[in-house]
Amino acid sequence: MTGPRPTLAGDREQRPFGGGPRTRQTHSVLSHGRRFTQLMRIARRNGVLPWRRLDFTTAPERSALRAQQAEGFRRALEEAGGAFVKLGQLLSTRSDLLPVEWVDALSKLQRDVEPAPWGEVRTMLEDRFGGPLADVFTVFHETPVAAASIGQVHRAILPGGRAVAVKVLRPGIVEEVHRDVDIALRFMRFVDRTSPRARMMGSRAVAEQYAADLLRQLDFRLEARNLLALRAMQERSARAGELHLPELVDHLSSDSILVMEYLDGETITAINARPGPAPAELEPAMRTVLRAFIRQIVFDGVYHSDLHPGNIMLLPDGRPALVDFGSVGRLDLRLRETTQELLIAYLQSDTELIGDGLLTLGTLRNPEDETAFRRDISAFIAYELGPGARVDVATVDALVAVLTRYGLLVPAEFVAAFRGFAILDGALRSTVPDFDLLDESRHLAAEQISDQMAPKAMMSNLTTEMLSMLPGMRRFPRRVDRIGAALENGELSINIRVLADRRDRRMLSGLVRQVLLSLAGLVTGVASLVFLTASPPETAGMIDPATAGVVLGGVSLVSLVGVGVDVLLGRSR
């Protein structure tokens, strides 16, 4: 990872994050119009238009129609290519939004596509390296080992004999993706305005989220940083050698080229497609991936969030390896602590502690709903995470629905981590059908906690905690001195937030209301007695005291009854 760095054309100009390997050009209206017309022809040819005719319901009697429409939509996305294939692949994980027929069709979208012409790739590479490929590599294979909608991977040999994988952005893909994403977002905004079903599903927000993720994948510098972060955390773990992550060749990598160690193995996708029994090393390898994923989320705070079978490899020595680091999530310290609390509570089957952990994410909209919230969380754990349960995207959304019902704003990072867990569950079940994810997770999580209790890990954690406490300890004498000086000079003041809780405010307002009604009832009652015992007026036209007494008596009675009703309602609350 050291040594002279070739002059890369991409180093000549720094672009905003997500801008891709070239300066983004302003797309002309004509270019957008031509592409839009082409997409409309593709959609009409495959039966996608008119849009309102598409069925996204779950009615059993319309299942055949949905399957036919979904297959046409898949063909249209593949024909459109580029960003649309990638967006369709992302949508194939959203079983919470789409009926099963649509999810099944989108999951068949091609991940391997025709590679870009070698002449264009070579020109782009030599432009980026600032010279012929022979100056950088002794061997460079023209035929890629894998080609996807955004990039492709070539095998090459460095001068020292080291085999590397060279991941290259497809020439011209940056402009195409930006153009297609812009068209797709405009279309989704139109659908959102015209389709109540789309608004209910939140289709526009989903499309915007996936578009942003797709644009980020156009900058390989982000993927390089993700790989370095995962490798650093893996090397610090107690089981560093059980999972392999390729080494980055940093001095040859840029925003459109990623050079890393070449892994000689098979993806889980290829193994699953191979006839005959699976290798004996497959199940323990997948268990290792699960163990590493749990550690990454709970303790490291940096995790691979897209562990589908194509991103997991089995090496010749039986170890698993991870590839494709474009989707890597991060959890800050507070969320990691919450995750640790939830994990320990889940291991202990303590729903009370699980509720406590979730409440650290925020406050309930109405504190009086806490009992109902805990009851719903207990039901979710029993039905969604009980023995034999399957974790998928619907499980994630069921949890989010419970939290949002009570006004808890769920951090997006927390939801993303849970979705990553669901993707891994799908990979495990397609590879080892009898694999019980939740049961295995309990055992592996217990192992991780034991690893954290090892002397070396405890010393590392203690050192980290001491360093975090050091700034406060250094400020402590000054704060004590200031408090002492304020006491000596009589300037010490304490601010206390009274009635911060809604229940306290409600109790006080109810008490004030009851006192005022009681005073009104008492005053009007006394006045009523005075008027009722008074003599009739001698002057005609004056108010009869008896009438005034009756009216005031009625007001007094109403006030006192109101006090009683208010007291009873307050007790019921």
Side-chain angles (χ1 to χ4, degrees):
M1 296 177 65
T2 58
R5 179 185 178 94
T7 301
L8 300 180
D11 295 339
R12 298 172 191 156
E13 179 182 355
Q14 293 297 322
R15 288 169 293 280
F17 176 75
R22 300 180 180 86
T23 305
R24 277 175 56 187
Q25 303 294 328
T26 303
H27 297 297
S28 66
V29 175
L30 184 59
S31 172
H32 274 63
R34 284 198 300 266
R35 178 60 168 166
F36 184 77
T37 302
Q38 179 191 28
L39 293 173
M40 289 300 100
R41 285 200 300 266
I42 292 173
R44 197 170 287 113
R45 185 162 56 245
N46 289 281
V48 177
L49 295 179
W51 171 262
R52 291 188 179 184
R53 192 174 58 85
L54 300 181
D55 184 11
F56 294 100
T57 68
T58 56
E61 65 274 10
R62 298 172 66 86
S63 177
L65 174 63
R66 284 194 298 274
Q68 179 184 357
Q69 293 176 344
E71 186 62 22
F73 188 63
R74 179 191 65 80
R75 291 195 304 268
L77 292 179
E78 287 185 345
E79 191 174 345
F84 291 98
V85 172
K86 192 69 175 179
L87 288 172
Q89 291 169 353
L90 293 171
L91 282 173
S92 68
T93 65
R94 296 305 303 265
S95 59
D96 57 319
L97 292 179
L98 299 174
V100 63
E101 296 85 0
W102 285 85
V103 171
D104 289 344
L106 292 177
S107 64
K108 299 174 186 174
L109 278 168
Q110 297 175 4
R111 293 192 178 272
D112 291 326
V113 300
E114 284 295 319
W118 167 242
E120 296 179 10
V121 174
R122 184 187 186 98
T123 300
M124 189 270 285
L125 285 170
E126 292 182 342
D127 177 63
R128 302 296 283 173
F129 285 128
L133 288 181
D135 292 347
V136 183
F137 307 97
T138 57
V139 176
F140 196 100
H141 295 274
E142 298 180 5
T143 303
V145 296
S149 56
I150 290 179
Q152 57 192 51
V153 180
H154 294 259
R155 189 176 186 274
I157 306 293
L158 293 177
R162 182 183 181 190
V164 292
V166 183
K167 185 175 180 179
V168 187
L169 273 179
R170 296 175 72 92
I173 193 63
V174 175
E175 291 79 7
E176 291 180 14
V177 168
H178 277 282
R179 179 197 61 199
D180 288 353
V181 163
D182 181 61
I183 292 174
L185 289 179
R186 290 174 185 269
F187 177 68
M188 288 310 301
R189 294 186 189 111
F190 168 75
V191 172
D192 187 72
R193 288 194 302 268
T194 58
S195 171
R197 171 70 177 174
R199 285 196 299 274
M200 183 182 69
M201 294 191 306
S203 301
R204 177 177 173 178
V206 172
E208 290 174 348
Q209 173 193 347
Y210 285 159
D213 181 63
L214 181 57
L215 293 178
R216 281 194 295 269
Q217 293 183 31
L218 296 175
D219 190 340
F220 285 170
R221 290 171 297 186
L222 172 63
E223 185 169 349
R225 290 197 295 270
N226 291 338
L227 173 56
L228 291 174
L230 284 173
R231 280 182 57 86
M233 301 309 296
Q234 180 68 25
E235 290 171 1
R236 289 171 47 184
S237 70
R239 304 168 189 265
E242 69 177 6
L243 177 71
H244 189 77
L245 300 171
E247 183 179 351
L248 177 71
V249 184
D250 188 43
H251 69 282
L252 294 179
S253 300
S254 66
D255 52 4
S256 60
I257 303 171
L258 195 64
V259 182
M260 66 185 77
E261 172 191 2
Y262 184 83
L263 300 181
D264 188 12
E266 285 188 287
T267 66
I268 302 302
T269 299
I271 293 174
N272 289 341
R274 199 170 59 198
E281 305 90 352
L282 189 57
E283 183 171 344
M286 296 303 290
R287 187 174 288 107
T288 296
V289 172
L290 177 59
R291 181 189 295 114
F293 182 78
I294 293 173
R295 190 201 67 247
Q296 289 172 0
I297 283 188
V298 178
F299 299 106
D300 297 346
V302 184
Y303 63 94
H304 197 306
S305 59
D306 191 23
L307 290 176
H308 61 75
N311 285 341
I312 305 172
M313 295 184 69
L314 188 64
L315 301 180
D317 61 4
R319 285 186 304 158
L322 306 183
V323 296
D324 193 353
F325 306 95
S327 297
V328 170
R330 286 169 170 80
L331 297 176
D332 60 27
L333 179 60
R334 185 179 69 87
L335 286 177
R336 288 205 306 275
E337 290 174 345
T338 300
T339 306
Q340 292 167 15
E341 293 175 7
L342 292 172
L343 176 63
I344 293 172
Y346 179 68
L347 292 176
Q348 297 175 339
S349 301
D350 192 332
T351 56
E352 191 72 17
L353 284 179
I354 292 176
D356 292 341
L358 291 173
L359 287 174
T360 61
L361 298 174
T363 57
L364 298 177
R365 184 187 300 113
N366 185 352
E368 294 182 357
D369 291 338
E370 183 172 335
T371 301
F373 168 75
R374 291 181 180 276
R375 185 168 56 246
D376 285 352
I377 287 297
S378 297
F380 170 82
I381 299 298
Y383 287 100
E384 301 289 347
L385 298 179
R390 176 172 181 175
V391 179
D392 54 18
V393 179
T395 310
V396 182
D397 292 295
L399 175 61
V400 173
V402 174
L403 298 179
T404 53
R405 187 185 311 151
Y406 292 95
L408 278 174
L409 296 177
V410 187
E413 300 87 348
F414 188 80
V415 179
F418 210 154
R419 289 192 186 279
F421 191 72
I423 292 172
L424 177 57
D425 176 54
L428 288 165
R429 289 182 183 275
S430 65
T431 306
V432 189
D434 297 332
F435 199 92
D436 190 331
L437 177 67
L438 293 177
D439 187 57
E440 290 285 348
S441 297
R442 294 170 73 97
H443 293 299
L444 296 177
E447 286 183 9
Q448 292 291 333
I449 293 174
S450 299
D451 291 342
Q452 295 298 313
M453 298 299 291
K456 182 179 178 181
M458 290 187 67
M459 183 59 66
S460 175
N461 293 334
L462 181 61
T463 302
T464 302
E465 293 296 328
M466 292 296 292
L467 287 174
S468 65
M469 293 171 59
L470 188 58
M473 294 171 64
R474 294 180 60 182
R475 289 192 295 266
F476 183 72
R478 291 198 300 272
R479 290 175 176 173
V480 172
D481 184 62
R482 290 175 184 173
I483 293 173
L487 279 171
E488 183 178 354
N489 299 327
E491 298 174 352
L492 182 66
S493 61
I494 301 176
N495 295 325
I496 301 176
R497 292 183 63 194
V498 296
L499 305 177
D501 191 276
R502 181 181 299 183
R503 287 171 292 187
D504 295 337
R505 295 194 297 271
R506 181 181 292 175
M507 182 189 69
L508 180 61
S509 63
L511 183 61
V512 170
R513 184 171 57 250
Q514 292 166 13
V515 169
L516 291 176
L517 286 173
S518 298
L519 287 175
L522 180 62
V523 170
T524 53
V526 171
S528 173
L529 291 176
V530 171
F531 277 107
L532 288 174
T533 57
S535 301
E538 297 178 356
T539 306
M542 294 186 65
I543 297 177
D544 184 14
T547 303
V550 170
V551 172
L552 291 173
V555 173
S556 175
L557 180 62
V558 170
S559 299
L560 294 175
V561 169
V563 172
V565 171
D566 197 55
V567 169
L568 292 175
L569 290 177
R571 287 181 178 177
S572 66
R573 288 195 294 265

